[in-house]
Amino acid sequence: MSSLSKDLMFLIMQFCDEENLKKTAHMLEQESGYFFNMKYFEELVLDGNWDEAEKYLSSFTVAEDNKYSTKIYFEIRKQKYLEALDKHEFHTALDILKKDLKVFAQSNEELYKEMAQLLALDDLRENDSLALYGDTLTARKGLLGDLRSIIEANPLLQGKTRFPQIKKSRLRRLVNQSLNWQHVLCSRPHWQPHIDTLFTDHKCPGSDNMQAQLSSLPPSPVAVEWPRERDSSTDSLVTIRNHEALSDQGPLVVFDSLSGADPLGALAGEGRLYVDVESTEHINEEEVSQAVISTRCQASRNEPPIEFPSTVERVLDIGSSMTSMDFHPVHEALLLVGKLSGDVEIWDVAAYKKLFRREFVVKSFMDKMDKNHSISVTRVLWSLDGSLFGVAYSKNELHLYYKNGNSFEKKLEIDAHIGSVNDIAFSIANKILVVISCGDDKLIKVWGAASGAKLYTFEGHEDPVYSLCPGLKRNIHFLFSISISGEIKVWLFDNEGSRVAYCAPGSCRTRMACGNKRVFLCGTEENGESYLVEWNENEGSIVRNYQLLSKCSSTVVQFNTCLDRFLAAGDEHLIKIWDMDSDELLAVIDADGGLQASPYICFSKKGNLLAVSAVDNRIKILANDSGRRFLKEAAFDFGDSAKCVTESFGNLSVGSSPFPCQGVAGGNGTMGGEILDPMWITEPKGREETTNNMEATNVSKIVEVSRCQSMLLTSEVKTNLIRRLVYTHTGNGILALAEDGTHLLWRWAKSGEATMKCAPRLWQPRSGLLMTNDLPDKSGDVVTPCLSLSKNDSYLISSSGRVISLYNLLGFKNMRNVMPSPPAATCLLFYPPDNNIIAIGMDDSTILIYNIRVDERISKLKGHSKRISGLAFSTNLNVLISCGVDTEIVLWDSITWEKKKSTVLQISVGWMASDLSETNVELDNDQQHFLAVHETQLAIYETATLRRVKQWTIANFCTRISHATYSCDSRVVYAAMRDGILLILGAADLAPRIEIDPSSYLPPHLSCYVDPLVVAAHPHKPEQFALGLSNGGVVVIEPEESQGQWTIKNHLES
């Protein structure tokens, strides 16, 4: 089939779809083989319509075509088989196995046998590889994700999954053009022609003297009334004027496979949808208005190009009116915002977070006394590399902020102009980074970005200068400036004055933008009439005038360029889009409504994101497909987020920055709502070990994201701070218990082990159940959450201040509740030799040994004076170690349950333990020693004698300890401090070896207020540990892949 016939087939498919002839459209897709409708195929899969899905797929490929096709068919039939098993329809499953899956047995006999063995199971989840199989809908969604990637990789389907970009109702339009052309050729064209059929060419009745009629009577347009679509925007009819068809269409082309078709029946050109008033004197204003309305209706029906960011993905509530914004030139997620109140803010649009805020400080006493005094931001702008940004204000001042460590700091405050500073720009002058300002004093000033020294002053405008636009040609930097009266001047960075002077199309406030080596102007007259043109800067003339901007705008219309291909303007509560090469309105976006009358718009440098101002002090973030993927990864994948967000502050390019970056990235202090420098700029001073007088060893600071790997575990279940955290004994899962009693379980199903190469999946059974503990009736009661996993990872005991619950981890089923409070359980531990026996530390300072299977108390241990906070069993020594908030450690015989020994933690002078401070204990690998963790110290004791062997106290080193744990090989201790600092200590001497700043594992907007509360070490990987965070998140940390391990040396070896 020829190329044009193929295009015709696509037009017919589009027509059928618009007429809701869906089945016909899908039949054409299958019979022609031109378009694989991925959306329709996904609907079939989600609905479980397996036979129809295979039938549709078979029109494009069969299972034997290649390995990709085989994989597609196998995955579909496997899912069909699993669903039958899950419904216990074993006869149906057996039939699927014999008929549908048998064909794949030759290529993988072992897999086929394993699938056959599933028939013998009561629940398919008893199979280890299917333990995470959820509900049917979730499984189908997971299948779709796999099928998409396989289909995209299949060479037989490549290029067939995307429908061509065709304007709506394209076939109707071509027919309409053909009828207009036929009407032009009528010998006596009537003013109101009557169209009865499309089966034959249209002819108006009359004589054959066509030339005489054409010279004496202007023909009338033909309007074909099509059945109305459901879209209310199609109320207007499209009419093409004859004189335009005659003058604009050019040579004709025909479809070579349409037998008997009139060569005039198909036109290659688009035609124009608006009326050219200048060349059509007989058309009155009402007709022109109708044509404009028709055009806008058509534009509103047109889908924006797929690469244009048009889908609303984020809505930011910024709290007050904005006046200017700018995306970071390197990191797309960072949006700089200036406000009417004078505030300057930086937002992470992916995470909905405000990272930085600085208020305008009024210094003048007179200004402070002036109640009507108000200073607003007129312009914010990032520098060329994003290492600094400038802020222009409505009164005199220009401020420059430079990157300093983990934040931005105001370095220059310039009294730039008399009156308002209207615009700023960055450029290069004589190989020096400069910032340029213009203002109400009719001057343009060039300042050294490093020193703030004034380098040049450009004079010559007769009115206040409204806007600036730097340019570059043949490696020569220059500057455009435009006054409020529309006067355009061009300057070089010297003292020779302006080189060229032009008048903009409108004598009004005008802004300029450059794209694809072209210049564009947009302005708004005082009467509200706006214009948007392409401008020839060499001749000072209009190249193209873009149509359909507002005639009555109340404010200056804002515009911008995108991808060096599109123009966009905020106008009439809409975003209007033009192709740079066409003056016709391409499409219109309303961004789900709620935009300002003339909204501010700003594109990211890559063109994947569009920020637009909305009512109620909001900013909407629109995205294309690439932008959506970026936002999703930046918001949920901590690895990418750390690179995109943490590097935004910690690793910005400073090649052109005039100030060196000093200090260490990170820190936790804030002042005035902004992120400040890290708390420790220099190396910490040596610490004294209060007990055994060990010298503090060298500490290696990891402050770069590249020095360690971090991964945030995502969860759709919203919780508050994580209080308990453990790895499963197999090491392929992490279990967290939040303050609100909610349990979260992540599992690495595909890899089978906890790895940084793939993210784990939040596990939920198909029933949708959550494991949630009962909370105390009184909200003011202090809750001490606690949990313990059985050795086979099948059962969980947990409590959050009320009852102790026993859960089955496979289905999240609550097996039973025991021991209702008071007193409440504060610590739980399975007895290793027997999973039916548990040790329960109580709020009343007692310890219960309890058989949970028969609901029977075995023993009650008394020896503490306050609530129990830690328990540990040593099966080698047959002892139980307990500790409480009274800082006492007690050793119990685990056979007779008698008290053997006790000791008390020695709290350093000047440090007082609070009533809420906990002591935790953990045995090392050989169980001969255990680690005691208190908020003031870490200590290692001999298990049998309770003799303290080593101790490290916080002294003046940092804030108190949140939690600490051994690595699985007991070589190091991972400790989390309350200020977010992580310490890795050598277990041989309990001396800190590595210090990890929160900026290394948390993005800036989190490192300011999120702290680690609990640490868990991987049971088989000594280098991996996880943190439970105060915002309900969990982060997994490892050394960087190239490093492989934490470099820990004994200080004596050093």
Side-chain angles (χ1 to χ4, degrees):
M1 198 177 283
S2 69
S3 174
L4 290 179
S5 297
K6 181 178 179 180
D7 290 352
L8 178 60
M9 193 63 66
F10 279 116
L11 292 176
I12 296 173
M13 292 180 197
Q14 182 196 47
F15 177 82
C16 292
D17 185 69
E18 291 173 345
E19 293 298 311
N20 204 31
L21 303 174
K22 304 294 185 182
K23 291 184 178 179
T24 305
H26 298 322
M27 287 176 59
L28 280 175
E29 293 162 4
Q30 292 174 261
E31 292 183 4
S32 66
Y34 288 146
F35 174 56
F36 183 84
N37 193 328
M38 194 66 189
K39 182 179 179 181
Y40 173 62
F41 182 71
E42 290 177 356
E43 290 175 355
L44 294 176
V45 172
L46 286 177
D47 292 340
N49 198 341
W50 307 114
D51 294 338
E52 189 62 32
E54 282 203 28
K55 180 181 177 183
Y56 185 80
L57 181 64
S58 65
S59 300
F60 300 87
T61 181
V62 294
E64 298 79 14
D65 283 343
N66 55 43
K67 61 180 181 180
Y68 301 101
S69 300
T70 303
K71 180 69 172 174
I72 296 171
Y73 279 93
F74 173 74
E75 292 296 334
I76 291 174
R77 295 175 185 180
K78 183 184 76 172
Q79 181 61 32
K80 181 180 176 181
Y81 176 65
L82 294 179
E83 288 185 14
L85 289 174
D86 198 30
K87 296 175 183 176
H88 294 88
E89 298 174 354
F90 295 107
H91 292 291
T92 304
L94 181 61
D95 191 56
I96 297 171
L97 184 69
K98 289 182 177 180
K99 294 180 180 179
D100 296 337
L101 292 172
K102 183 68 175 177
V103 296
F104 305 105
Q106 294 180 354
S107 59
N108 196 332
E109 185 70 27
E110 291 299 321
L111 178 60
Y112 183 76
K113 289 180 180 179
E114 184 179 352
M115 296 184 71
Q117 291 171 1
L118 296 177
L119 287 166
L121 301 178
D122 291 333
D123 188 344
L124 59 88
R125 295 166 187 81
E126 295 176 17
N127 184 287
D128 291 339
S129 61
L130 295 173
L132 296 180
Y133 185 88
D135 60 281
T136 299
L137 183 59
T138 302
R140 290 175 182 175
K141 288 180 179 179
L143 171 64
L144 274 181
D146 295 334
L147 291 181
R148 288 191 196 101
S149 58
I150 302 171
I151 289 172
E152 290 174 0
N154 195 330
L156 294 178
L157 295 174
Q158 286 179 356
K160 295 183 178 182
T161 58
R162 178 166 293 183
F163 199 80
Q165 293 184 24
I166 307 173
K167 292 183 179 180
K168 286 188 176 181
S169 306
R170 177 63 179 160
L171 186 59
R172 290 192 184 93
R173 186 174 182 180
L174 288 175
V175 172
N176 205 358
Q177 288 176 339
S178 174
L179 291 171
N180 275 278
W181 187 266
Q182 294 170 26
H183 188 54
V184 169
L185 299 180
C186 288
S187 59
R188 191 184 296 274
H190 289 187
W191 285 102
Q192 294 182 344
H194 184 64
I195 306 298
D196 291 322
T197 180
L198 298 178
F199 296 156
T200 59
D201 290 346
H202 161 72
K203 289 184 180 180
C204 292
S207 65
D208 295 332
N209 190 0
M210 183 184 69
Q211 294 297 333
Q213 297 295 333
L214 285 176
S215 61
S216 61
L217 184 64
S220 170
V222 175
V224 181
E225 186 167 350
W226 299 92
R228 293 183 180 230
E229 299 179 19
R230 292 169 178 81
D231 189 351
S232 60
S233 64
T234 60
D235 291 345
S236 305
L237 298 177
V238 177
T239 58
I240 309 297
R241 297 291 174 178
N242 290 330
H243 73 280
E244 292 178 335
L246 285 168
S247 61
D248 295 342
Q249 295 303 329
L252 303 177
V253 295
V254 298
F255 296 108
D256 56 3
S257 65
L258 295 179
S259 59
D262 191 318
L264 300 178
L267 302 178
E270 286 279 5
R272 300 172 68 178
L273 291 178
Y274 63 90
V275 177
D276 187 349
V277 179
E278 294 181 0
S279 61
T280 316
E281 299 177 358
H282 64 277
I283 298 179
N284 58 34
E285 293 182 2
E286 184 177 352
E287 289 177 302
V288 173
S289 177
Q290 288 295 327
V292 171
I293 293 173
S294 175
T295 305
R296 289 178 180 168
C297 289
Q298 180 68 24
S300 68
R301 292 197 301 268
N302 291 343
E303 292 290 339
I306 191 170
E307 59 269 49
F308 191 92
S310 57
T311 305
V312 177
E313 294 294 328
R314 299 285 191 275
V315 179
L316 309 179
D317 187 352
I318 62 172
S320 58
S321 298
M322 61 144 294
T323 55
S324 179
M325 56 185 168
D326 191 29
F327 274 105
H328 194 279
V330 178
H331 303 290
E332 285 189 284
L334 298 186
L335 180 66
L336 178 63
V337 179
K339 294 188 172 184
L340 188 64
S341 61
D343 295 353
V344 181
E345 299 173 350
I346 299 177
W347 284 78
D348 176 0
V349 300
Y352 300 89
K353 295 294 183 181
K354 179 165 54 180
L355 309 181
F356 174 94
R357 178 174 177 265
R358 173 60 64 90
E359 298 177 357
F360 184 87
V361 179
V362 180
K363 306 178 189 62
S364 167
F365 176 76
M366 295 301 296
D367 287 341
K368 291 181 180 180
M369 296 298 294
D370 184 3
K371 296 182 179 179
N372 296 323
H373 178 77
S374 177
I375 295 180
S376 62
V377 174
T378 56
R379 185 74 191 276
V380 292
L381 189 68
W382 289 103
S383 66
L384 307 178
D385 65 351
S387 61
L388 65 149
F389 64 84
V391 186
Y393 291 95
S394 60
K395 187 173 182 181
N396 307 101
E397 294 187 13
L398 162 64
H399 295 177
L400 291 183
Y401 290 78
Y402 285 86
K403 188 187 77 68
N404 185 4
N406 198 32
S407 183
F408 281 84
E409 179 179 316
K410 183 168 64 176
K411 289 293 186 181
L412 293 175
E413 188 174 300
I414 303 172
D415 190 358
H417 295 271
I418 300 174
S420 175
V421 181
N422 295 325
D423 199 7
I424 55 174
F426 287 97
S427 186
I428 303 294
N430 302 320
K431 300 182 180 181
I432 297 175
L433 179 66
V434 296
V435 59
I436 312 153
S437 63
C438 64
D440 284 348
D441 55 6
K442 308 176 186 178
L443 300 178
I444 301 164
K445 298 182 181 181
V446 182
W447 314 86
S451 62
K454 184 169 62 177
L455 304 180
Y456 304 101
T457 299
F458 299 152
E459 302 181 31
H461 280 289
E462 298 180 358
D463 296 291
V465 185
Y466 178 70
S467 64
L468 302 170
C469 183
L472 175 65
K473 273 193 175 182
R474 297 188 294 275
N475 294 324
I476 298 175
H477 292 270
F478 61 94
L479 177 72
F480 290 104
S481 64
I482 308 176
S483 70
I484 61 172
S485 61
E487 182 184 26
I488 303 175
K489 289 184 178 292
V490 182
W491 314 81
L492 296 179
F493 292 105
D494 55 29
N495 294 313
E496 302 299 323
S498 67
R499 297 305 199 272
V500 182
Y502 297 121
C503 287
S507 300
C508 59
R509 299 174 187 269
T510 300
R511 288 201 181 275
M512 178 182 290
C514 300
N516 198 17
K517 298 181 180 180
R518 296 152 72 176
V519 176
F520 304 91
L521 299 175
C522 182
T524 302
E525 300 275 6
E526 291 184 1
N527 62 6
E529 185 171 350
S530 302
Y531 70 90
L532 175 59
V533 300
E534 181 180 351
W535 180 257
N536 186 323
E537 73 276 19
N538 295 320
E539 301 177 2
S541 60
I542 296 175
V543 178
R544 184 175 285 104
N545 186 8
Y546 298 94
Q547 306 296 318
L548 296 181
L549 267 183
S550 173
K551 301 298 182 182
C552 54
S553 177
S554 58
T555 57
V556 178
V557 169
Q558 307 293 323
F559 89 113
N560 212 326
T561 62
C562 175
L563 300 171
D564 284 339
R565 178 183 168 188
F566 303 110
L567 292 172
D571 187 33
E572 298 180 307
H573 303 279
L574 301 168
I575 303 169
K576 298 180 179 180
I577 309 167
W578 294 264
D579 189 299
M580 289 182 177
D581 296 325
S582 174
D583 55 2
E584 295 183 21
L585 186 62
L586 178 63
V588 169
I589 301 172
D590 67 355
D592 297 340
L595 299 185
Q596 294 177 338
S598 296
Y600 292 87
I601 62 173
C602 179
F603 290 95
S604 61
K605 188 172 182 179
K606 295 179 182 179
N608 295 325
L609 302 177
L610 168 61
V612 55
S613 62
V615 297
D616 298 327
N617 304 320
R618 294 175 300 161
I619 296 176
K620 295 189 176 186
I621 306 299
L622 284 67
N624 56 18
D625 289 341
S626 298
R628 280 193 292 274
R629 287 193 297 270
F630 167 76
L631 291 175
K632 183 178 180 180
E633 292 169 1
F636 298 114
D637 186 340
F638 188 80
D640 290 346
S641 179
K643 293 177 182 177
C644 292
V645 181
T646 304
E647 288 181 0
S648 302
F649 286 111
N651 298 319
L652 288 174
S653 170
V654 292
S656 60
S657 176
F659 294 106
C661 296
Q662 300 176 351
V664 180
N668 205 27
T670 61
M671 182 172 66
E674 58 178 322
I675 300 172
L676 298 181
D677 301 335
M679 297 180 66
W680 296 339
I681 299 299
T682 58
E683 291 287 343
K685 298 179 181 179
R687 281 81 68 187
E688 293 184 0
E689 218 296 337
T690 58
T691 302
N692 46 5
N693 297 321
M694 288 189 298
E695 290 184 356
T697 54
N698 293 330
V699 176
S700 171
K701 278 197 174 185
I702 300 179
V703 294
E704 298 292 338
V705 174
S706 59
R707 295 283 302 278
C708 63
Q709 301 181 74
S710 304
M711 179 169 62
L712 186 68
L713 307 189
T714 61
S715 170
E716 297 177 357
V717 180
K718 300 302 180 184
T719 60
N720 50 12
L721 60 167
I722 301 298
R723 292 292 302 274
R724 296 291 182 263
L725 189 71
V726 294
Y727 277 88
T728 58
H729 292 90
T730 57
N732 66 348
I734 292 180
L735 178 66
L737 173 58
E739 179 85 5
D740 61 6
T742 302
H743 298 80
L744 301 175
L745 175 62
W746 290 272
R747 280 180 173 166
W748 281 266
K750 292 185 178 180
S751 62
E753 62 175 357
T755 174
M756 304 294 284
K757 295 182 179 179
C758 66
R761 178 182 172 190
L762 183 68
W763 163 243
Q764 279 187 279
R766 59 173 180 164
S767 62
L769 288 176
L770 288 175
M771 292 187 295
T772 305
N773 290 337
D774 293 335
L775 299 177
D777 293 330
K778 297 180 181 179
S779 59
D781 292 350
V782 176
V783 176
T784 305
C786 49
L787 59 78
S788 181
L789 269 175
S790 65
K791 198 170 183 179
N792 60 4
D793 291 333
S794 297
Y795 299 98
L796 165 72
I797 51 172
S798 180
S799 178
S800 293
R802 194 168 184 181
V803 298
I804 300 172
S805 299
L806 173 66
Y807 296 98
N808 183 317
L809 276 188
L810 188 63
F812 284 15
K813 183 180 179 181
N814 188 331
M815 309 292 290
R816 66 172 58 188
N817 294 325
V818 297
M819 303 294 295
S821 61
T826 57
C827 189
L828 295 169
L829 185 66
F830 273 103
Y831 181 50
D834 188 349
N835 276 339
N836 295 312
I837 298 175
I838 60 175
I840 309 171
M842 306 297 288
D843 190 45
D844 63 356
S845 77
T846 62
I847 301 170
L848 300 183
I849 309 302
Y850 195 84
N851 189 316
I852 197 169
R853 183 174 65 86
V854 297
D855 199 11
E856 178 182 60
R857 189 179 78 183
I858 298 174
S859 183
K860 184 175 183 178
L861 313 182
K862 296 181 179 181
H864 290 273
S865 60
K866 293 185 179 180
R867 65 181 172 88
I868 308 301
S869 57
L871 295 168
F873 276 110
S874 171
T875 54
N876 294 346
L877 301 177
N878 292 323
V879 294
L880 167 67
I881 307 163
S882 65
C883 56
V885 297
D886 55 5
T887 69
E888 187 174 7
I889 301 174
V890 180
L891 192 68
W892 310 84
D893 189 307
S894 62
I895 298 177
T896 64
W897 303 113
E898 294 179 353
K899 182 177 178 179
K900 298 181 68 173
K901 294 179 182 295
S902 67
T903 188
V904 178
L905 285 174
Q906 293 182 2
I907 306 299
S908 302
V909 177
W911 291 95
M912 296 298 295
S914 67
D915 291 338
L916 298 179
S917 61
E918 296 182 350
T919 304
N920 301 107
V921 289
E922 181 185 3
L923 287 160
D924 65 6
N925 275 350
D926 59 9
Q927 300 185 3
Q928 299 301 311
H929 297 84
F930 66 87
L931 173 70
V933 181
H934 188 263
E935 62 178 2
T936 64
Q937 64 181 281
L938 303 175
I940 294 178
Y941 289 81
E942 286 184 351
T943 307
T945 64
L946 295 188
R947 183 178 70 87
R948 190 181 67 211
V949 179
K950 303 177 187 68
Q951 183 185 38
W952 177 79
T953 60
I954 56 178
N956 295 322
F957 182 81
C958 51
T959 58
R960 299 196 179 200
I961 301 168
S962 289
H963 191 245
T965 187
Y966 271 127
S967 62
C968 66
D969 59 3
S970 302
R971 289 184 61 249
V972 301
V973 174
Y974 299 117
M977 315 305 290
R978 290 187 182 177
D979 62 357
I981 297 293
L982 304 179
L983 296 180
I984 302 180
L985 303 93
D989 52 13
L990 271 190
R993 302 300 178 191
I994 294 178
E995 176 184 314
I996 305 178
D997 194 271
S999 64
S1000 296
Y1001 62 90
L1002 292 175
H1005 68 276
L1006 292 180
S1007 62
C1008 291
Y1009 69 92
V1010 173
D1011 299 314
L1013 299 180
V1014 61
V1015 188
H1018 192 283
H1020 309 302
K1021 290 186 172 183
E1023 314 301 334
Q1024 186 184 111
F1025 63 97
L1027 303 174
L1029 305 177
S1030 59
N1031 70 337
V1034 174
V1035 63
V1036 180
I1037 297 176
E1038 279 186 0
E1040 65 176 341
E1041 190 171 0
S1042 60
Q1043 187 179 359
Q1045 62 182 0
W1046 308 112
T1047 305
I1048 307 294
K1049 292 184 179 180
N1050 188 299
H1051 76 288
L1052 298 176
E1053 296 174 358
S1054 302

